[in-house]
Amino acid sequence: MPTLEDVARRAGVSTATVSKVLSNTPYFSERTRAKVLQAVKEIGYVPNLAARALSSGKTQIIAFVFPYVYDALFADPFVLLILEGIESECHQRGYNLLLSTPRIVSGQPDEHYLQLVQSGYIDGFIALDSVPSASVVEPVFAHGIPSVTIGYHPNTFFVRADDCAGGFQAMDHVLKLGHRRIGVISVNESLHFSISQRLAGLRAAAEAYGLDFDTLPMAEGDFSTASGAACAAELLSRHPDLTALVCLNDRMAIGALQQLHVRAIRVPDQMTVIGYDDIPTAAIIVPPLTTVNQQAFRQGQEAARMLLDILNGRSPQPITLPVELVVRGSSAPVPAPGLTRKGG
Amino acid sequence: MPTLEDVARRAGVSTATVSKVLSNTPYFSERTRAKVLQAVKEIGYVPNLAARALSSGKTQIIAFVFPYVYDALFADPFVLLILEGIESECHQRGYNLLLSTPRIVSGQPDEHYLQLVQSGYIDGFIALDSVPSASVVEPVFAHGIPSVTIGYHPNTFFVRADDCAGGFQAMDHVLKLGHRRIGVISVNESLHFSISQRLAGLRAAAEAYGLDFDTLPMAEGDFSTASGAACAAELLSRHPDLTALVCLNDRMAIGALQQLHVRAIRVPDQMTVIGYDDIPTAAIIVPPLTTVNQQAFRQGQEAARMLLDILNGRSPQPITLPVELVVRGSSAPVPAPGLTRKGG
DNA sequence: GGAAAAAGGTTAAGCGCTTAACTATAGATT
DNA sequence: AATCTATAGTTAAGCGCTTAACCTTTTTCC
């Protein structure tokens, strides 16, 4: 591999000149600049990034990290969309993207990750950090390394979706359709910070309609499709008169749909089902799922922008992105009183 | 950040000693080893990876790359599973994982990617490389950098799923169920190398049953759900007597299911539908999709193992992984002759 | 016309680590 | 006793790049 020195020799200048020309420093004649660039082209010189990193202290690598916990985050299309948003931004700005999925051991990210944080290899971190039991951004923050959090663990810079508004919109939609016997498929609040936000939104909407939220039947799943089906089964046997199920993520909503199909309860005629996330599958299943889109791609993109801004010395503002209810085929007005379940 | 020298000073030894102790070189007394490790712990030393990389020529970073083409690979759960497989192996062996998605400009991966390849930043590449129009592994291979290809672009080391066997199994299953009026939803062979393999498998199975493959109705989509629906519509209007649709990926199969739902054609009673890939959605839709599982996680895992073996001086063998037909609810024996579509 | 400022470039000192080459001592071998 | 070898460490030369400090020539300005 040719080095800076080879280029310098060929162009008949010093290595400093080559280095500065390549990084576009002013005060060089057109002639010199051309000579250098010519030499670079001729010998096919490409800078050695490790050397550049050691010397300049900047690696041009940022990391996207999320803890390896619960029902594999990897299985979550939501994460993929965020990743895509980050990638698109990095690609545009010439940054490289490293992926790390620290395992959590005794409440701490694993050793290898902690080393990575301090290794100087990473200019900045974007962390998907909403699992209350452990923070992956905390060690980064503690070492003063630039970081942006997507989620609710404390950080100066963050990107969040407005989960409270999302919860509100979902519940409001259901109430507007006339439903009052509403089951909620939630997740234990200890699993994800956003859950309490979404629940707060549901509650606010219910109260706006004079409905006591605490009287609504609720079951707790774990985000997975299977748990959604189980929760639906549980709610339906305890409360056969429900006309709507509000689920705090799409995969559980899809599980609920399965369970309803098994029980031959038609959606949306006999039961309205609402999801949350708007994963790609939501649009292509039958019936297509009414859900809350939280702009995952945009979350990733904004987080990357924010981080790169920080790296370039700016001081961006944290962002809370709006969400949007996407009404599809799984929600409908409450069935007419005459329409009983069996007869439907 | 503390450096090797700080550790050396504190432990009262030379930097060489510290370096060698940390990399577990023999010929050091227990006493020295302990002193060094003690000092490391006391001052919280973590090696600077850029320096290590520059000096040793090894960065401990491998890259997973795939071209940014057609119906966003990012949207493909298959890719995600591969990524997960790679990550799990990297994590175990202490490697870091970089993600790169080169854009293809005039038949070549973009400049930034080509620089990355030659930058010395990446110890080895795993490429998802099956798009005939451009190879992302070719420049890597050309520069003599260790690489493993998942797919069909030429490489000394590769991991492949047995697409031909997969095609065979899918078609064989349909034929065994008694179907003979079979529509094929394919993709233009110029979009992906695996397509011709799968088609060859279909053909072989058809011929084993004495069926002329070329007489079967076929439509070409582009892997997307929407295109699957369009292809199904086209095939059904041209050939209303079809009893089975074999689709060369799951998303198109799901599109076909949608279209059948719209036309009130019941699956599997009136129509058998087969997919390919076994993406997570395949298992949770109604009806659950019969499809070919190609072990995406394992492909990623084996590719990573292979690459790390190469980096450690071994010479692994290329692998073609077996595939497995997963029979679910979307396939059934050909309807009895009396059972017409309308009456079904 | 002379001083200051700008333009165009070079020298050389690192960045923090690895490793080849070397020194020195203790025990084993002949 | 002399030689060899294994053990236990040190010295110092890079790896390829950036950049502060410095030098020289040209331009600008009063």
Side-chain angles (χ1 to χ4, degrees):
Chain A
M1 284 287 145
T3 72
L4 247 203
E5 219 180 315
D6 299 331
V7 176
R9 202 173 307 126
R10 174 142 200 146
V13 298
S14 72
T15 63
T17 301
V18 176
S19 173
K20 288 187 185 164
V21 162
L22 290 183
S23 59
N24 239 351
T25 307
Y27 303 147
F28 284 99
S29 68
E30 267 320 305
R31 228 180 123 266
T32 305
R33 209 174 284 276
K35 263 196 312 189
V36 168
L37 295 178
Q38 175 69 17
V40 164
K41 191 154 282 178
E42 280 173 15
I43 64 180
Y45 167 76
V46 170
N48 179 308
L49 291 184
R52 181 176 277 181
L54 176 57
S55 179
S56 71
K58 259 95 197 66
T59 61
Q60 299 282 111
I61 297 183
I62 70 168
F64 175 45
V65 299
F66 51 88
Y68 190 88
V69 284
Y70 67 86
D71 179 20
L73 263 174
F74 262 120
D76 202 331
F78 170 67
V79 176
L80 194 58
L81 283 169
I82 291 183
L83 179 59
E84 192 179 354
I86 296 174
E87 196 277 341
S88 94
E89 203 62 22
C90 284
H91 184 267
Q92 253 182 54
R93 302 240 227 151
Y95 271 78
N96 292 118
L97 179 58
L98 190 139
L99 203 70
S100 184
T101 308
R103 275 57 173 172
I104 305 295
V105 267
S106 55
Q108 280 272 102
D110 64 71
E111 193 56 32
H112 180 250
Y113 173 72
L114 294 176
Q115 300 237 129
L116 181 68
V117 170
Q118 299 176 67
S119 68
Y121 234 29
I122 310 291
D123 284 349
F125 285 76
I126 297 176
L128 197 57
D129 214 21
S130 270
V131 179
S133 64
S135 169
V136 293
V137 85
E138 196 275 328
V140 179
F141 193 84
H143 278 89
I145 297 161
S147 66
V148 172
T149 297
I150 300 179
Y152 290 89
H153 267 292
N155 194 336
T156 312
F157 302 101
F158 61 80
V159 172
R160 285 175 195 158
D162 194 340
D163 286 288
C164 185
F168 187 94
Q169 287 178 35
M171 188 57 124
D172 185 64
H173 173 65
V174 171
L175 290 163
K176 233 176 220 145
L177 289 172
H179 298 275
R180 290 298 178 273
R181 297 195 297 279
I182 302 165
V184 176
I185 299 185
S186 177
V187 170
N188 194 284
E189 298 187 28
S190 68
L191 287 186
H192 207 278
F193 278 134
S194 66
I195 294 300
S196 36
Q197 300 290 318
R198 294 180 195 173
L199 286 175
L202 298 187
R203 175 180 300 274
E207 283 168 5
Y209 275 77
L211 193 62
D212 182 359
F213 183 69
D214 294 316
T215 64
L216 296 183
M218 179 170 319
E220 283 187 352
D222 62 2
F223 291 115
S224 72
T225 304
S227 76
C231 287
E234 182 194 332
L235 288 177
L236 289 172
S237 22
R238 287 197 340 233
H239 305 273
D241 60 340
L242 291 178
T243 65
L245 291 176
V246 173
C247 311
L248 292 197
N249 83 332
D250 282 350
R251 286 184 295 151
M252 293 195 301
I254 290 170
L257 288 179
Q258 285 180 333
Q259 179 61 217
L260 293 167
H261 188 259
V262 167
R263 298 190 171 219
I265 299 176
R266 291 198 315 274
V267 177
D269 304 358
Q270 299 169 303
M271 182 73 70
T272 279
V273 175
I274 311 278
Y276 201 110
D277 277 353
D278 196 17
I279 63 177
T281 304
I284 64 176
I285 55 171
V286 176
L289 189 65
T290 294
T291 184
V292 177
N293 183 301
Q294 53 170 322
Q295 305 195 72
F297 181 91
R298 176 118 186 265
Q299 283 186 51
Q301 203 175 30
E302 293 289 351
R305 262 181 213 158
M306 196 176 284
L307 181 60
L308 299 185
D309 276 2
I310 299 169
L311 294 179
N312 288 306
R314 269 161 286 181
S315 256
Q317 288 298 310
I319 300 179
T320 297
L321 288 172
V323 299
E324 188 191 5
L325 180 75
V326 180
V327 178
R328 297 207 183 90
S330 68
S331 58
V334 65
L339 218 78
T340 73
R341 180 152 301 160
K342 300 263 166 177
Chain B
M1 284 285 147
T3 73
L4 248 202
E5 216 178 316
D6 299 331
V7 177
R9 200 174 308 126
R10 174 143 200 146
V13 297
S14 73
T15 62
T17 301
V18 176
S19 173
K20 289 187 184 165
V21 162
L22 290 183
S23 59
N24 239 349
T25 307
Y27 305 145
F28 284 99
S29 69
E30 266 322 305
R31 224 176 126 270
T32 305
R33 210 172 282 277
K35 261 196 314 189
V36 168
L37 295 178
Q38 175 69 19
V40 164
K41 190 154 284 176
E42 281 173 15
I43 64 180
Y45 168 75
V46 169
N48 178 309
L49 291 185
R52 182 176 276 183
L54 177 58
S55 179
S56 71
K58 259 96 199 61
T59 61
Q60 299 283 110
I61 297 182
I62 70 168
F64 176 44
V65 299
F66 49 90
Y68 190 86
V69 282
Y70 66 86
D71 178 18
L73 263 173
F74 263 120
D76 201 331
F78 170 67
V79 176
L80 193 59
L81 284 168
I82 291 184
L83 180 59
E84 191 178 355
I86 296 174
E87 196 278 341
S88 94
E89 202 62 24
C90 284
H91 185 267
Q92 254 183 51
R93 304 241 227 149
Y95 272 79
N96 292 117
L97 179 58
L98 190 139
L99 203 69
S100 184
T101 308
R103 274 58 171 171
I104 305 295
V105 264
S106 54
Q108 282 271 102
D110 64 72
E111 193 58 29
H112 181 250
Y113 173 72
L114 295 176
Q115 301 235 132
L116 181 68
V117 169
Q118 300 175 65
S119 69
Y121 234 28
I122 309 291
D123 285 349
F125 285 76
I126 297 176
L128 196 58
D129 213 22
S130 272
V131 179
S133 64
S135 170
V136 293
V137 85
E138 196 275 328
V140 180
F141 192 84
H143 278 90
I145 297 162
S147 67
V148 172
T149 298
I150 300 179
Y152 290 89
H153 266 294
N155 194 335
T156 311
F157 303 101
F158 62 80
V159 173
R160 287 176 193 156
D162 195 340
D163 286 287
C164 185
F168 187 94
Q169 286 178 36
M171 188 57 123
D172 185 64
H173 173 65
V174 171
L175 290 163
K176 231 176 221 144
L177 289 172
H179 298 274
R180 290 297 178 274
R181 297 195 298 279
I182 304 164
V184 177
I185 299 185
S186 177
V187 170
N188 194 282
E189 297 186 28
S190 68
L191 287 186
H192 207 278
F193 278 134
S194 66
I195 294 300
S196 38
Q197 301 289 318
R198 293 180 195 173
L199 286 175
L202 298 186
R203 176 182 297 276
E207 282 167 5
Y209 275 76
L211 193 62
D212 182 359
F213 183 70
D214 295 315
T215 66
L216 296 183
M218 180 171 317
E220 283 186 351
D222 62 4
F223 291 116
S224 73
T225 304
S227 76
C231 287
E234 182 195 331
L235 288 176
L236 289 171
S237 20
R238 286 199 340 232
H239 306 273
D241 60 341
L242 292 177
T243 65
L245 290 175
V246 174
C247 312
L248 292 197
N249 85 332
D250 281 350
R251 286 184 294 153
M252 292 195 301
I254 290 170
L257 287 178
Q258 285 181 332
Q259 180 61 218
L260 292 167
H261 188 259
V262 167
R263 299 190 170 220
I265 300 175
R266 292 198 314 274
V267 177
D269 304 357
Q270 299 169 301
M271 183 73 72
T272 280
V273 175
I274 311 281
Y276 201 109
D277 278 352
D278 197 16
I279 62 176
T281 305
I284 64 177
I285 55 172
V286 177
L289 189 64
T290 295
T291 184
V292 176
N293 183 301
Q294 54 170 322
Q295 304 194 73
F297 181 91
R298 178 118 185 266
Q299 284 185 50
Q301 204 176 30
E302 293 289 350
R305 263 183 211 156
M306 195 176 285
L307 181 59
L308 300 185
D309 276 2
I310 298 169
L311 294 179
N312 287 307
R314 267 161 287 182
S315 256
Q317 289 297 308
I319 300 179
T320 298
L321 288 172
V323 298
E324 189 190 6
L325 181 75
V326 182
V327 178
R328 298 207 181 90
S330 68
S331 58
V334 65
L339 218 75
T340 74
R341 180 154 299 158
K342 302 263 163 171

